[in-house]
mmCIF file of all heavy atoms in Angstrom:
data_model
loop_
_atom_site.group_PDB
_atom_site.id
_atom_site.type_symbol
_atom_site.label_atom_id
_atom_site.label_comp_id
_atom_site.label_asym_id
_atom_site.label_seq_id
_atom_site.Cartn_x
_atom_site.Cartn_y
_atom_site.Cartn_z
ATOM 1 N N ASP A 812 27.496 7.941 33.244
ATOM 2 C CA ASP A 812 28.402 7.458 32.083
ATOM 3 C C ASP A 812 29.476 8.471 31.721
ATOM 4 O O ASP A 812 30.636 8.131 31.424
ATOM 5 C CB ASP A 812 27.538 7.214 30.874
ATOM 6 C CG ASP A 812 26.573 6.024 31.024
ATOM 7 O OD1 ASP A 812 26.758 5.285 32.013
ATOM 8 O OD2 ASP A 812 25.659 5.874 30.232
ATOM 9 N N ARG A 813 29.192 9.735 31.863
ATOM 10 C CA ARG A 813 30.115 10.808 31.582
ATOM 11 C C ARG A 813 31.232 10.841 32.572
ATOM 12 O O ARG A 813 32.376 10.920 32.199
ATOM 13 C CB ARG A 813 29.418 12.199 31.518
ATOM 14 C CG ARG A 813 30.304 13.368 31.268
ATOM 15 C CD ARG A 813 30.966 13.225 29.864
ATOM 16 N NE ARG A 813 31.978 14.248 29.621
ATOM 17 C CZ ARG A 813 33.285 14.024 29.931
ATOM 18 N NH1 ARG A 813 33.645 12.914 30.463
ATOM 19 N NH2 ARG A 813 34.113 14.973 29.601
ATOM 20 N N VAL A 814 30.912 10.647 33.832
ATOM 21 C CA VAL A 814 31.925 10.681 34.925
ATOM 22 C C VAL A 814 32.837 9.487 34.792
ATOM 23 O O VAL A 814 34.022 9.597 35.209
ATOM 24 C CB VAL A 814 31.180 10.784 36.366
ATOM 25 C CG1 VAL A 814 32.161 10.460 37.415
ATOM 26 C CG2 VAL A 814 30.655 12.188 36.495
ATOM 27 N N ARG A 815 32.316 8.399 34.276
ATOM 28 C CA ARG A 815 33.217 7.196 34.104
ATOM 29 C C ARG A 815 34.254 7.435 33.018
ATOM 30 O O ARG A 815 35.289 6.794 32.981
ATOM 31 C CB ARG A 815 32.373 5.995 33.714
ATOM 32 C CG ARG A 815 31.763 5.265 34.903
ATOM 33 C CD ARG A 815 31.170 3.949 34.594
ATOM 34 N NE ARG A 815 30.218 3.662 35.554
ATOM 35 C CZ ARG A 815 28.920 3.587 35.390
ATOM 36 N NH1 ARG A 815 28.417 3.810 34.241
ATOM 37 N NH2 ARG A 815 28.085 3.352 36.387
ATOM 38 N N LEU A 816 34.030 8.332 32.054
ATOM 39 C CA LEU A 816 34.959 8.588 31.010
ATOM 40 C C LEU A 816 36.080 9.465 31.491
ATOM 41 O O LEU A 816 35.909 10.464 32.067
ATOM 42 C CB LEU A 816 34.246 9.399 29.894
ATOM 43 C CG LEU A 816 33.428 8.655 28.848
ATOM 44 C CD1 LEU A 816 33.007 9.666 27.772
ATOM 45 C CD2 LEU A 816 34.209 7.508 28.241
ATOM 46 N N THR A 817 37.320 8.966 31.199
ATOM 47 C CA THR A 817 38.438 9.737 31.646
ATOM 48 C C THR A 817 38.983 10.658 30.565
ATOM 49 O O THR A 817 39.584 11.724 30.830
ATOM 50 C CB THR A 817 39.552 8.817 32.175
ATOM 51 O OG1 THR A 817 39.706 7.731 31.227
ATOM 52 C CG2 THR A 817 39.276 8.331 33.593
ATOM 53 N N SER A 818 38.670 10.332 29.291
ATOM 54 C CA SER A 818 39.153 11.162 28.227
ATOM 55 C C SER A 818 38.370 12.457 28.104
ATOM 56 O O SER A 818 37.186 12.465 28.439
ATOM 57 C CB SER A 818 39.026 10.412 26.919
ATOM 58 O OG SER A 818 37.791 9.849 26.766
ATOM 59 N N PRO A 819 39.033 13.542 27.612
ATOM 60 C CA PRO A 819 38.304 14.825 27.628
ATOM 61 C C PRO A 819 37.174 14.787 26.508
ATOM 62 O O PRO A 819 37.322 14.240 25.441
ATOM 63 C CB PRO A 819 39.396 15.827 27.220
ATOM 64 C CG PRO A 819 40.603 15.053 26.740
ATOM 65 C CD PRO A 819 40.436 13.659 27.223
ATOM 66 N N LEU A 820 36.039 15.337 26.907
ATOM 67 C CA LEU A 820 34.950 15.347 25.943
ATOM 68 C C LEU A 820 34.034 16.498 26.310
ATOM 69 O O LEU A 820 33.819 16.849 27.449
ATOM 70 C CB LEU A 820 34.157 14.052 26.093
ATOM 71 C CG LEU A 820 32.809 13.885 25.249
ATOM 72 C CD1 LEU A 820 33.250 13.792 23.762
ATOM 73 C CD2 LEU A 820 32.097 12.535 25.644
ATOM 74 N N GLY A 821 33.528 17.205 25.200
ATOM 75 C CA GLY A 821 32.572 18.314 25.467
ATOM 76 C C GLY A 821 33.260 19.643 25.778
ATOM 77 O O GLY A 821 34.480 19.806 25.775
ATOM 78 N N SER A 822 32.380 20.608 26.143
ATOM 79 C CA SER A 822 32.820 21.924 26.419
ATOM 80 C C SER A 822 33.760 21.955 27.668
ATOM 81 O O SER A 822 33.801 21.037 28.443
ATOM 82 C CB SER A 822 31.616 22.834 26.677
ATOM 83 O OG SER A 822 30.971 22.390 27.871
#
Side-chain angles (χ1 to χ4, degrees):
D812 290 350
R813 179 62 189 90
V814 165
R815 273 192 205 111
L816 277 186
T817 44
S818 49
L820 178 64
S822 63

